[in-house]
Amino acid sequence: MVMTRGQEFSSPKGTLKLNFKIEREGAPYYSLNYKDKTILKDSKLGFILKPSYSYFSGFKVENIEYASFNESWKPVWGPNKKVVNHYNEMLVHLVQDKTGWKLDIRFRLFDDGLGFRYEFPVQADLRHFTIKDEMTGFNLGQDYKAFWIPADYDTNEFPVTTSKLSEISKLIDEVRKEPLAAKAPSATLAVQTPLMLKSKDGIYINIHEAALINFPAMTLNLDEKNLILSSNLTPDKNGDRGFIQTGSVSPWRTMIISDNARDILSSNLIVNLNEPSKIGDTSWIKPTKYIGVWWEYFTGGGSTWAYSDNQDIRIGETDYKTLKPNGRHGAHTKHVKEYIDFAAENGFDAVLVEGWNEGWEDNQAYRKEHIYSFTKAYPDFNVKELQAYAKSKNVKIIMHHETTSSAVDYERQLKDAFQFMNDNGYDAVKTGYVGPIIPRSEYHDSQWMVNHYR
């Protein structure tokens, strides 16, 4: 009734071999070999649904489908004129005995790695569910050298540490003291993806994800004793790790594998697993080389984003023309023209201007929701004059929208903000998310914010 023998398939050239099996308790497992060396021992698959339903055991295999694919496609920009997308695929259809719930797992083997994802078919007995935990494991079974930063739901601003996996617990608290970091809110022993690993015999492994859509981002819990990594989905502050409707899929869990580190960088596995672009006309997408009015804010010259030193600011009520300028505001018309001149003389395409808009005086993170206007410039920043000047120099100005992580207020203003950009000749924007997130139930890498970024 339950399959215990393995179902094996290989990458196109046979470099990688994956074995899938159902153990006696009806739990799905996979293992992976690279050039006949074990990369992953039997590793768990599946989920725990809230409150505590097993979506990782009691399964039997309903059907298995195999396929191969080989095509080339042309990216809009990047290091390659052509990308080869060549893989073999195994799609496993599972059904749970007691509940009748269905779960599909799609594996793709490329010659430089593995991608697999969960697919939640439309079905009679399951429509909406909440993820309590993802069970996906990476059972390495040996003490790799790791190039890691701590898992943190709000920041990646840590120095990279190189150590054995078994040494991470001794080092992680010290690394979390990095002054720019938010200090990981999770108490678990976990690291961020992409995670780079190197074995004693020179095999490099990079673990990450692709096609992150309507799903929380994945970090990796570490079982130091058994040398097993496992998926740790970013929760919201209620502890829920994803609200899912059947008919959708998870992101791909990815492993790029090579005995040459340069191959990890040059791999196209992740871009091949991302969804093809839905944009028909891509002529407007241009790589851009730019400079910005922001570096000087950090280099000791005293220049700053804020127009005034008056911090009692209320957007839509405060009349900035009545405020005394602080004399240190960097993004004023005369100074931005100097940047435009420099860009034109030195081959830059654009100038990014931070601090042009009302609100920087009182940019309180988390405690204040309505921080900025994205349509009103400071009195000393002449939008029309600067756009005309930049155009005369064949230079563009890049818009800047810092939210101080009040994403909910940014969404309220998005339509007007982008219309303002269109009306004034801006065709690119840098958004920013400094500080803890509003809505206050969310982290930077949670499902809600993933959808916001998209």
Side-chain angles (χ1 to χ4, degrees):
M1 183 176 176
V2 174
M3 179 188 73
T4 55
R5 62 185 176 83
Q7 296 289 321
E8 188 173 273
F9 81 117
S10 302
S11 63
K13 294 180 181 178
T15 310
L16 284 155
K17 293 180 181 178
L18 183 140
N19 183 278
F20 173 86
K21 65 181 178 181
I22 298 288
E23 293 287 11
R24 287 189 182 85
E25 70 274 21
Y29 284 80
Y30 74 110
S31 58
L32 187 66
N33 282 10
Y34 169 75
K35 295 183 178 179
D36 297 322
K37 294 180 180 179
T38 300
I39 297 298
L40 294 180
K41 299 178 180 180
D42 287 351
S43 301
K44 292 181 181 178
L45 295 162
F47 297 87
I48 300 174
L49 308 188
K50 195 174 179 182
S52 57
Y53 300 119
S54 168
Y55 203 27
F56 64 90
S57 64
F59 283 109
K60 63 182 178 183
V61 174
E62 198 171 42
N63 186 29
I64 296 181
E65 301 175 50
Y66 296 91
S68 295
F69 188 80
N70 189 5
E71 73 166 16
S72 298
W73 55 278
K74 293 182 179 180
V76 177
W77 60 275
N80 302 300
K81 291 182 179 179
K82 182 176 74 172
V83 175
V84 175
N85 187 14
H86 190 194
Y87 60 82
N88 290 337
E89 179 177 278
M90 180 171 70
L91 174 59
V92 181
H93 300 277
L94 301 175
V95 62
Q96 206 169 34
D97 271 336
K98 290 183 179 179
T99 63
W101 291 348
K102 296 184 177 183
L103 176 65
D104 295 344
I105 308 176
R106 189 182 299 270
F107 297 94
R108 287 182 182 171
L109 278 180
F110 304 77
D111 282 314
D112 64 346
L114 163 68
F116 64 95
R117 73 181 182 190
Y118 301 95
E119 302 183 358
F120 311 108
V122 174
Q123 51 196 287
D125 299 319
L126 183 64
R127 186 158 66 93
H128 292 278
F129 59 89
T130 302
I131 295 174
K132 184 176 182 179
D133 275 304
E134 181 177 331
M135 303 293 288
T136 302
F138 303 88
N139 186 356
L140 299 165
Q142 62 171 290
D143 200 4
Y144 281 82
K145 180 193 287 187
F147 306 82
W148 60 274
I149 63 172
D152 190 300
Y153 304 143
D154 277 321
T155 185
N156 292 310
E157 291 186 315
F158 297 99
V160 173
T161 301
T162 303
S163 74
K164 292 181 178 179
L165 287 169
S166 62
E167 296 170 337
I168 290 177
S169 63
K170 301 172 187 174
L171 301 169
I172 195 166
D173 287 341
E174 189 64 29
V175 177
R176 282 181 180 146
K177 292 178 181 178
E178 169 67 30
L180 285 174
K183 299 179 180 61
S186 170
T188 60
L189 178 58
V191 291
Q192 184 61 282
T193 71
L195 175 66
M196 188 73 161
L197 303 168
K198 183 183 181 182
S199 70
K200 291 177 182 176
D201 52 354
I203 297 175
Y204 294 88
I205 302 173
N206 188 283
I207 302 175
H208 196 30
E209 60 186 332
L212 177 56
I213 300 168
N214 192 28
F215 218 82
M218 178 183 75
T219 61
L220 296 167
N221 289 327
L222 171 59
D223 175 350
E224 266 188 335
K225 181 180 178 182
N226 297 299
L227 298 168
I228 298 173
L229 298 165
S230 59
S231 173
N232 176 40
L233 298 180
T234 302
D236 63 16
K237 292 179 183 177
N238 295 319
D240 296 324
R241 297 178 188 267
F243 301 92
I244 309 301
Q245 182 173 347
T246 51
S248 60
V249 299
S250 78
W252 296 92
R253 279 64 190 96
T254 65
M255 296 182 72
I256 306 172
I257 303 165
S258 178
D259 41 29
N260 187 327
R262 291 168 295 188
D263 293 342
I264 306 290
L265 275 179
S266 62
S267 172
N268 288 303
L269 183 146
I270 286 176
V271 294
N272 277 325
L273 290 170
N274 288 332
E275 296 297 317
S277 174
K278 295 180 175 66
I279 299 169
D281 176 14
T282 59
S283 62
W284 55 274
I285 300 173
K286 307 280 188 188
T288 299
K289 182 168 61 175
Y290 66 93
I291 56 172
V293 186
W294 81 88
W295 276 118
E296 65 179 69
Y297 302 160
F298 301 98
T299 55
S303 184
T304 186
W305 293 269
Y307 169 77
S308 168
D309 288 336
N310 185 337
Q311 293 185 306
D312 187 20
I313 298 301
R314 297 180 186 273
I315 294 299
E317 299 177 24
T318 300
D319 181 358
Y320 273 85
K321 292 177 182 176
T322 67
L323 301 183
K324 180 182 177 182
N326 60 23
R328 301 186 308 278
H329 181 224
H332 61 85
T333 302
K334 180 176 180 293
H335 196 38
V336 174
K337 283 183 176 180
E338 293 170 350
Y339 272 86
I340 292 169
D341 290 342
F342 183 90
E345 291 165 9
N346 292 280
F348 290 93
D349 305 303
V351 175
L352 168 64
V353 183
E354 295 193 9
W356 68 276
N357 59 317
E358 294 183 356
W360 288 90
E361 289 78 5
D362 188 25
N363 56 341
Q364 271 287 321
Y366 207 64
R367 288 177 290 190
K368 186 177 182 181
E369 187 169 309
H370 188 28
I371 302 174
Y372 302 97
S373 168
F374 299 108
T375 58
K376 289 188 177 180
Y378 279 134
D380 62 350
F381 185 89
N382 190 315
V383 175
K384 298 289 186 185
E385 182 180 343
L386 282 168
Q387 284 307 125
Y389 189 78
K391 187 175 181 180
S392 74
K393 298 281 187 172
N394 199 30
V395 170
K396 291 189 175 185
I397 302 180
I398 299 175
M399 175 60 71
H400 181 238
H401 292 161
E402 176 56 57
T403 67
T404 307
S405 286
S406 181
V408 69
D409 188 56
Y410 187 40
E411 290 198 351
R412 293 188 194 111
Q413 297 192 60
L414 264 181
K415 184 177 180 181
D416 291 340
F418 282 15
Q419 187 61 56
F420 179 84
M421 286 175 57
N422 280 332
D423 292 344
N424 290 283
Y426 292 91
D427 64 6
V429 60
K430 172 191 173 184
T431 58
Y433 300 90
V434 173
I437 296 289
I438 301 177
R440 295 179 178 93
S441 58
E442 302 298 334
Y443 294 110
H444 282 74
D445 289 342
S446 63
Q447 182 182 23
W448 193 95
M449 283 302 294
V450 165
N451 290 332
H452 167 82
Y453 300 137
R454 291 185 64 85

